[in-house]
Amino acid sequence: MIAIMFDTNVIHRDPWLTGNLGARLLQLAKDEKCTIFYPKVVIEEIRRQRSEQAKEAHILASKGIEKLKESGIDTELISEDLESVHQRIESSFSNAFQELLSKKNVVEAPVPEVSATDLLTRDLERRRPFAEIEHQGKEKSVGFRDVLIWETLLESISTHNLYSHFIFVTNDGDFVEKKTDKLLPDLLSDLDNLGIANGYVCNVRSMQSAITKVETIYDEVEATTLSLVKLATETLDSLVDRSISEQMVGSGDWGTPDCVQFTAPPIDDAAL
């Protein structure tokens, strides 16, 4: 099975996988071709983003109701309905994630247990995903949540070692090179230090690319399996009616034919 982990920037438009691509990915998970890991950091970041959007919409709607009230319209019931809708929207975010995480092979990856000292060292060494930017004439460190997402991936690999591949889905320049799909050198170094094989973690930039990657891997596995089955079948067919008894071989001695790939135990060693 293949593991997939999302960064926030890839799924912010469809965080609950309700669109066409999300449905295809969930079907792959249901078919036990992949496990979808949702970092707790990503869940909370999306929850905050959606909550802020709901609050902004609520503020705009409240201002509209105030204008209606100023024109003499009774807006008491409208205001009550607006508050009720806003509260339902807030709770719906949690319900949506609970429903998603209840689906087969969709898993929440907890916040990683990385020490503050390790985070500080990484920050001071300017190792990605940490970065420093110019802000109001001063250097500012950014990337804390990205670091936690990356540490979540590393911890998930250490905890769940059952997967043939680990696909990291992100389009963030703090993780990948801009002109390629390669992870940045600092991240490759992390994988190497943990003894994770080169190529085990690969990056793709979109949900569509993740789906294509999973399907391609399984198509290759299926083709290889069919080829091996065909070879084995043809080999067995070629052995039908062939004797495996000892016979005269090229050197003039007695021996088994080349098709016999085992050594019969001496009679004295045979168990009764």
Side-chain angles (χ1 to χ4, degrees):
M1 191 180 290
I2 300 166
I4 297 176
M5 182 170 288
F6 286 115
D7 185 16
T8 310
N9 59 21
V10 175
I11 56 170
H12 71 279
R13 293 183 179 179
D14 184 19
W16 301 292
L17 306 183
T18 56
N20 292 334
L21 290 177
R24 287 176 60 189
L25 193 59
L26 288 174
Q27 186 61 50
L28 289 173
K30 185 177 181 180
D31 294 341
E32 297 190 344
K33 292 185 175 181
C34 67
T35 296
I36 304 169
F37 284 92
Y38 262 77
K40 179 68 171 178
V41 181
V42 170
I43 291 175
E44 293 305 321
E45 191 170 6
I46 290 175
R47 198 196 310 272
R48 187 211 65 191
Q49 291 174 352
R50 292 304 175 99
S51 179
E52 288 178 350
Q53 292 170 358
K55 288 177 181 177
E56 290 174 1
H58 180 256
I59 291 171
L60 288 175
S62 297
K63 290 180 179 179
I65 292 174
E66 283 298 320
K67 289 183 179 180
L68 290 176
K69 185 177 181 180
E70 290 172 1
S71 65
I73 298 177
D74 185 357
T75 60
E76 182 178 353
L77 291 178
I78 299 176
S79 296
E80 291 177 357
D81 289 342
L82 177 62
E83 290 299 325
S84 177
V85 169
H86 180 66
Q87 291 175 7
R88 290 201 302 272
I89 289 175
E90 288 284 347
S91 63
S92 70
F93 298 150
S94 296
N95 294 337
F97 273 121
Q98 288 177 2
E99 181 179 353
L100 176 63
L101 294 170
S102 69
K103 296 183 182 297
K104 187 175 182 179
N105 290 321
V106 181
V107 180
E108 177 183 308
V111 176
E113 297 182 0
V114 56
S115 71
T117 300
D118 290 341
L119 292 176
L120 176 61
T121 300
R122 189 179 193 108
D123 186 10
L124 294 176
E125 292 177 351
R126 299 179 180 178
R127 293 174 55 224
R128 296 302 186 98
F130 276 124
E132 287 193 353
I133 62 172
E134 190 78 15
H135 180 69
Q136 296 180 351
K138 298 181 180 180
E139 288 188 343
K140 178 181 179 182
S141 175
V142 295
F144 177 72
R145 287 193 298 272
D146 286 341
V147 170
L148 290 182
I149 291 171
W150 178 247
E151 290 289 346
T152 300
L153 182 145
L154 297 179
E155 193 170 284
S156 296
I157 292 174
S158 299
T159 305
H160 308 278
N161 57 0
L162 306 175
Y163 300 100
S164 61
H165 302 74
F166 208 107
I167 301 174
F168 184 35
V169 193
T170 181
N171 195 30
D172 191 334
D174 289 326
F175 291 110
V176 296
E177 296 179 355
K178 292 182 179 180
K179 296 182 180 180
T180 70
D181 288 334
K182 294 182 179 179
L183 293 169
L184 293 172
D186 286 339
L187 309 186
L188 293 175
S189 177
D190 289 338
L191 297 174
D192 187 57
N193 291 337
L194 291 173
I196 298 170
N198 183 32
Y200 177 70
V201 178
C202 65
N203 170 72
V204 296
R205 294 181 177 271
S206 67
M207 193 182 301
Q208 174 64 71
S209 297
I211 293 170
T212 300
K213 187 72 173 179
V214 172
E215 292 175 340
T216 299
I217 290 172
Y218 272 91
D219 286 345
E220 292 173 352
V221 170
E222 184 177 359
T224 301
T225 302
L226 290 175
S227 177
L228 291 174
V229 169
K230 181 181 178 181
L231 177 62
T233 302
E234 291 174 349
T235 302
L236 288 173
D237 287 343
S238 70
L239 297 176
V240 174
D241 296 330
R242 288 190 62 177
S243 173
I244 62 172
S245 301
E246 287 193 347
Q247 53 191 262
M248 189 73 69
V249 294
S251 61
D253 297 325
W254 286 86
T256 56
D258 292 340
C259 64
V260 178
Q261 300 295 322
F262 64 89
T263 301
I267 296 297
D268 293 343
D269 294 340
L272 297 179

